Amino acid sequence: MLKVNDNYLKLPGSYLFAEIARRVAAYSAEHPEKNLVRMGIGDVTRPLAPSVIEAMHKAVDEMGKAETFKGYGPDFGYDFLISAICENDYKARGIDIAPDEIFISDGAKSDCGNIGDIFSTDNVVAVCDPVYPVYVDTNAMAGRAGDYDDKHECWTKLIYMPCTKENGFVPQIPAQEPDIIYICCPNNPTGTAATREQLRGWVDYANYVGAVILYDSAYEAYISDPDVPHSIFEVSGAKTCAIEFRSFSKTAGFTGTRCAYTVVPKALRRQGASLNALWGRRQSTKFNGVSYVTQRAAAAIYTEQGKKEIKETIAYYMNNAKIIREGLSDAGIEVFGGVNAPYIWAKTPDGTGSWDFFDILMKKAGVITTPGAGFGPSGEGYIRLTAFGSRESAEEAIKRIKQIL
Ligand code: PLP
């Protein structure tokens, strides 16, 4: 008789965004006249850069001619894209990453989720709290998270590392020793980022205990603070303990186009095995690459014109972040993030619960946010706002919030 992977049966429903959608739908049905401003959106809204579109058109034309048509591409990505990444994302920052340490993929979400394939299910996993839910759920699916504790809304075998105002939203080394450590920097949902020195502590620790850091820097392009590294490999020693995930999604508006990459250094070995070789084996077996057209589109962001264009879009979003951050602060709300990331993490006033404050903002101000509690127990007492909308909607949301507070 067939048995399903019963780890899936332990997963709580995808509660956060479903519950937000349910509350918004119910409220809108009762108040169709209300024009809600959506500040919970985690997706980009600006169109692809002209250079990207031009490169895609050209690549599409190549696919239409026998002489330039492309079938399956190289397993780990085309050289033109890999060498542009090596040059621009690493060499230009003084980091030496070899082409065969880069694996092009269709998304950081898939890579963060799939990387667990190369690790035993016996490993102890540490995640930040609050956290991007993919790290937790994919470990739960693999059986590394234990059971779900409904009462405390957490998994019994995962180590949750609280990221709070008190520790500056940078996790402390936990009492129990982890084998796999997820760090997302700049962070979703808190919008905060660890400095080079703070990351050095984690790199030294991981090398010392033999753990592996899974470093998600999907929001790297939003960093403005020179003390915040753009790559974990800016920290010496990281090549023997870290894997880095990057994405074109938020960097260049590729959420609907799909392209990302993962760096697995050849120096990273455990139990005598090269993790670079294991990941290569995994990818070449289960993944058939990103389309030629998409990889040409991604490579276009590394041209002089492409760089300029994506910088403009990021500046547009970060100006929204400034409007939101300063506006909330003027309204007497304590805010974090929004300087090195397009997320603003706002403390709810007078200890109001996340969901209660979400309801207040929706019903009184007509502004939709994301309750922090949905990202983990330590997110209680916060809400997340994103800067991915239009400038007008950021201004309107702040105007309305100021009016009700
Ligand atoms: N990592 C983090 C921290 C994210 O917030 C997101 C998207 O919201 C992703 C990864 C997903 O990136 P991609 O679109 O490349 O799958």
Side-chain angles (χ1 to χ4, degrees):
M1 176 101 138
L2 177 129
K3 288 186 184 150
V4 297
N5 176 349
D6 56 11
N7 294 314
Y8 278 64
L9 306 179
K10 298 179 191 168
L11 292 167
S14 171
Y15 175 70
L16 178 60
F17 291 100
E19 178 59 15
I20 292 173
R22 192 191 66 75
R23 291 190 190 208
V24 172
Y27 183 72
S28 298
E30 273 174 42
H31 301 276
E33 75 292 354
K34 287 265 169 90
N35 176 19
L36 300 176
V37 183
R38 290 166 203 271
M39 304 300 284
I41 181 168
D43 195 359
V44 294
T45 55
R46 309 287 293 168
L48 291 170
S51 304
V52 168
I53 294 297
E54 196 188 315
M56 286 179 100
H57 279 302
K58 200 164 156 242
V60 167
D61 289 341
E62 287 180 65
M63 294 298 275
K65 293 193 200 95
E67 315 82 70
T68 47
F69 168 77
K70 305 272 186 296
Y72 290 124
D75 279 345
F76 308 136
Y78 283 98
D79 287 345
F80 62 79
L81 179 55
I82 292 178
S83 55
I85 290 168
C86 282
E87 275 302 308
N88 294 281
D89 288 346
Y90 294 103
K91 200 166 171 207
R93 293 193 182 279
I95 308 165
D96 184 24
I97 294 291
D100 56 0
E101 295 178 307
I102 294 177
F103 298 83
I104 307 295
S105 77
D106 64 350
K109 184 178 193 172
S110 353
D111 286 358
C112 290
N114 293 332
I115 195 77
D117 278 11
I118 67 168
F119 299 117
S120 157
T121 50
D122 295 338
N123 287 302
V124 175
V125 177
V127 292
C128 293
D129 167 28
V131 71
Y132 177 52
V134 172
Y135 316 145
V136 171
D137 288 1
T138 54
N139 277 290
M141 289 168 176
R144 270 187 288 264
D147 292 311
Y148 191 69
D149 175 347
D150 282 311
K151 185 158 168 256
H152 299 100
E153 297 188 345
C154 61
W155 292 87
T156 52
K157 273 174 69 181
L158 286 186
I159 302 175
Y160 287 83
M161 304 185 292
C163 296
T164 59
K165 182 184 153 185
E166 288 67 39
N167 61 19
F169 301 96
V170 177
Q172 266 132 15
I173 286 167
Q176 188 193 354
E177 188 180 302
D179 303 304
I180 299 172
I181 303 160
Y182 286 82
I183 297 181
C184 175
C185 182
N187 190 271
N188 176 14
T190 67
T192 56
T195 63
R196 209 168 271 106
E197 277 321 297
Q198 287 167 327
L199 287 175
R200 172 170 306 287
W202 277 103
V203 166
D204 291 347
Y205 172 75
N207 276 321
Y208 181 67
V209 299
V212 170
I213 296 174
L214 300 179
Y215 192 77
D216 183 348
S217 57
Y219 298 95
E220 162 279 330
Y222 293 81
I223 294 171
S224 62
D225 184 342
D227 288 337
V228 174
H230 287 251
S231 163
I232 185 93
F233 302 117
E234 284 182 41
V235 179
S236 58
K239 281 190 182 173
T240 50
C241 69
I243 291 175
E244 177 159 288
F245 304 96
R246 293 264 191 120
S247 172
F248 293 86
S249 282
K250 307 295 159 73
T251 301
F254 273 52
T255 53
T257 306
R258 311 305 303 145
C259 196
Y261 67 89
T262 288
V263 181
V264 190
K266 282 177 285 185
L268 180 54
R269 304 181 71 84
R270 292 292 180 270
Q271 282 187 300
S274 154
L275 298 194
N276 175 287
L278 298 189
W279 182 242
R281 188 73 173 86
R282 191 264 170 219
Q283 287 299 81
S284 57
T285 302
K286 292 197 183 180
F287 180 61
N288 245 345
V290 177
S291 77
Y292 173 72
V293 175
T294 300
Q295 292 192 58
R296 277 289 178 204
I301 76 158
Y302 295 110
T303 60
E304 283 317 306
Q305 183 60 19
K307 280 183 199 169
K308 194 172 144 268
E309 289 165 0
I310 63 163
K311 258 196 191 141
E312 278 166 16
T313 301
I314 289 167
Y316 178 90
Y317 291 136
M318 288 313 278
N319 187 50
N320 292 346
K322 186 167 183 276
I323 292 168
I324 301 165
R325 201 164 36 85
E326 292 178 355
L328 291 177
S329 187
D330 287 349
I333 290 188
E334 201 174 1
V335 286
F336 304 93
V339 175
N340 295 302
Y343 295 117
I344 291 92
W345 193 236
K347 186 104 192 74
T348 62
D350 310 319
T352 315
S354 287
W355 281 104
D356 290 340
F357 196 51
F358 167 88
D359 280 335
I360 293 170
L361 292 180
M362 175 172 72
K363 292 178 182 169
K364 293 200 174 156
V367 175
I368 307 301
T369 57
T370 311
F375 296 101
S378 297
E380 181 52 271
Y382 290 90
I383 52 158
R384 188 193 75 173
L385 293 97
T386 86
F388 285 128
S390 65
R391 179 186 176 132
E392 295 70 32
S393 63
E395 285 170 345
E396 178 63 21
I398 292 304
K399 191 177 98 194
R400 294 186 189 183
I401 293 173
K402 279 184 172 170
Q403 276 164 2
I404 65 147
L405 288 178

